[in-house]
Amino acid sequence: MPAIFQSLTLRHGYLLGFISCVSLLAAAYYFEYVMFLDPCPLCMVQRLATLLTGLGFLAAFIAAPAGNRHWLTAALLFTLAAALFGWWAADHHVWLQGLPAEEVPACGPSFDYMLETLPLSELLGIMLQGNGNCAEISWMFLGLSMPEWLRLWFIGFTAAIVWALTRTLRQAAP
């Protein structure tokens, strides 16, 4: 094994997870503000899940050298919950995009309009369900849509977090 990989620790992995989430959010804003692709409600949910996952990785990165396994375990559990939520949202989005045209829910108003006019509880319900705007595929790379790519990222994040959590708990065991 090359020497550079031998010196890497789980803490480096947490930093890489955080940087990955920041990069995904930067890409989302690039698509929105440079390519003018408006995000649908489920896109916004996935952005939130990416942000929470990134913050969880950052918390794990900060907690790791402190030696407090309780804080590190809590940060990893939070990150796992955020990644699973993101996986669910991306999977739901992919499901909506795969529906036949006659089964796609009606399109709703833009996210900005809903944010300004709807109460928070109704906005959250619409965001989690998605609408016809979510079924539209406006960008693809290597045959996969944005939510399909995010689903892969969240699957990877979930696997990495489960692995890190298992190692952390094994090290803490007497």
Side-chain angles (χ1 to χ4, degrees), residues 155-167:
I155 289 170
F157 288 150
T158 301
I161 296 161
V162 167
W163 182 75
L165 193 55
T166 302
R167 290 210 35 198

Side-chain angles (χ1 to χ4, degrees), residues 42 46 84-98 147-148 150-152 154-155:
L42 277 173
Q46 290 165 78
L84 287 171
F85 175 63
W87 185 353
W88 172 85
D91 197 55
H92 185 62
H93 199 166
V94 169
W95 173 77
L96 274 175
Q97 288 181 337
E148 288 172 316
L150 274 172
R151 179 171 58 182
L152 290 175
F154 283 120
I155 289 170

Side-chain angles (χ1 to χ4, degrees), residues 79-135:
T79 310
L80 179 62
L84 287 171
F85 175 63
W87 185 353
W88 172 85
D91 197 55
H92 185 62
H93 199 166
V94 169
W95 173 77
L96 274 175
Q97 288 181 337
L99 286 176
E102 63 273 0
E103 293 182 30
V104 171
C107 290
S110 73
F111 178 75
D112 291 334
Y113 177 79
M114 290 190 299
L115 189 61
E116 292 174 5
T117 59
L118 296 177
L120 183 61
S121 60
E122 194 173 334
L123 176 66
L124 290 175
I126 290 172
M127 286 177 67
L128 292 175
Q129 283 181 335
N131 60 29
N133 297 335
C134 299

Side-chain angles (χ1 to χ4, degrees), residues 132-146:
N133 297 335
C134 299
E136 180 183 324
I137 298 174
S138 56
W139 179 90
M140 291 184 83
F141 180 67
L142 298 177
L144 298 177
S145 66
M146 281 188 213

